[in-house]
Amino acid sequence: AQTVTQSQPEMSVQEAETVTLSCTYDTSESDYYLFWYKQPPSRQMILVIRQEAYKQQNATENRFSVNFQKAAKSFSLKISDSQLGDAAMYFCAYLDNYGQNFVFGPGTRLSVLP
Amino acid sequence: EAQVTQNPRYLITVTGKKLTVTCSQNMNHEYMSWYRQDPGLGLRQIYYSMNVEVTDKGDVPEGYKVSRKEKRNFPLILESPSPNQTSLYFCASSFNVQGATYEQYFGPGTRLTVT
């Protein structure tokens, strides 16, 4: 079974600085999808960024970018120019190519310090 | 507005009293899923449905039932709730077209407490 690991239960970053959240996963598949979701105090799950495993280019969405290392099964999220509104729980997630098995990591709580 | 709705948002019940949490989406999504979120464990998949009348177990299906009679609705049923089912529950949906799957859209969550 696939597993997703986030080794940093909590992280903090100074406002306007850059922070990287780590995620590793385990799978025997070659095609799959990876996601980062943000959960602010409102508890709503918000998609931050998505990566298809067959794409070598790292996904980018404004201040958010990923470092996808397929061979190492690593999928880290970099947040640049951190803002107070970025404070939230961040979940890394894996989805198999059949769209059936969606597996989440335990989450990393990010604090942004003014 | 495209959205996934869940009801109720909050529920306190007693052990053994059957309950249903409803989930509805207005995006014509094929795929729907239920998750529970517990501290330190992230979200764990309970059941999912690839389309009408097609459901399958996720990682933690014990104590739960689902049905998918209509494309837009995917209710979660707890026949005999127990305290270990106290959790935050999320419903989600997404497109799944010819093997290509897209990101999931989540409902607002249902906070369930079983005493």
Side-chain angles (χ1 to χ4, degrees):
Chain A
Q2 291 84 2
T3 58
V4 176
T5 301
Q6 294 176 250
S7 59
Q8 308 150 316
E10 295 182 354
M11 293 275 288
S12 62
V13 62
Q14 209 71 36
E15 195 175 4
E17 297 294 308
T18 296
V19 65
T20 298
L21 309 183
S22 301
C23 173
T24 59
Y25 57 95
D26 185 29
T27 183
S28 58
E29 306 293 328
S30 58
D31 291 328
Y32 47 88
Y33 305 84
L34 296 166
F35 306 88
W36 278 99
Y37 278 89
K38 169 185 178 182
Q39 187 180 44
S42 66
R43 303 183 323 198
Q44 182 68 42
M45 294 290 286
I46 303 166
L47 177 69
V48 175
I49 203 163
R50 160 198 168 106
Q51 174 82 42
E52 292 89 342
Y54 64 84
K55 290 186 177 178
Q56 293 185 338
Q57 186 173 7
N58 290 324
T60 299
E61 287 288 341
N62 300 315
R63 297 182 295 107
F64 299 87
S65 62
V66 298
N67 183 3
F68 174 48
Q69 302 288 327
K70 190 172 184 180
K73 297 178 182 176
S74 171
F75 183 61
S76 61
L77 174 70
K78 185 171 81 171
I79 306 174
S80 304
D81 185 25
S82 297
Q83 301 175 358
L84 295 177
D86 295 334
M89 184 73 92
Y90 286 82
F91 292 99
C92 178
Y94 167 99
L95 178 64
D96 66 26
N97 194 42
Y98 304 101
Q100 297 179 9
N101 191 21
F102 217 110
V103 181
F104 284 80
T108 295
R109 183 172 300 282
L110 178 67
S111 301
V112 180
L113 308 174
Chain B
E1 179 188 356
Q3 60 182 351
V4 178
T5 57
Q6 294 179 227
N7 283 292
R9 295 288 308 279
Y10 301 89
L11 179 60
I12 301 174
T13 190
V14 296
T15 299
K17 185 177 182 181
K18 180 179 178 180
L19 66 93
T20 299
V21 184
T22 64
C23 173
S24 182
Q25 49 93 5
N26 62 1
M27 295 168 279
N28 202 35
H29 285 167
E30 293 81 15
Y31 181 99
M32 296 187 75
S33 183
W34 276 102
Y35 300 88
R36 61 178 289 173
Q37 182 180 3
D38 302 289
L41 297 177
L43 279 76
R44 292 179 292 168
Q45 192 174 49
I46 302 171
Y47 270 94
Y48 63 91
S49 169
M50 299 296 284
N51 215 320
V52 176
E53 301 292 0
V54 181
T55 63
D56 210 340
K57 296 177 181 179
D59 295 324
V60 288
E62 295 77 19
Y64 304 94
K65 286 176 58 178
V66 293
S67 67
R68 187 93 182 271
K69 294 181 169 50
E70 305 167 283
K71 197 171 186 180
R72 63 182 294 131
N73 296 323
F74 190 46
L76 179 69
I77 303 159
L78 284 72
E79 295 270 3
S80 183
S82 62
N84 64 13
Q85 292 179 297
T86 293
S87 187
L88 178 59
Y89 291 86
F90 285 99
C91 179
S93 70
S94 69
F95 284 113
N96 188 322
V97 181
Q98 294 181 340
T101 303
Y102 299 84
E103 59 272 13
Q104 297 202 7
Y105 293 84
F106 284 83
T110 295
R111 171 71 70 184
L112 172 65
T113 301
V114 183
T115 61

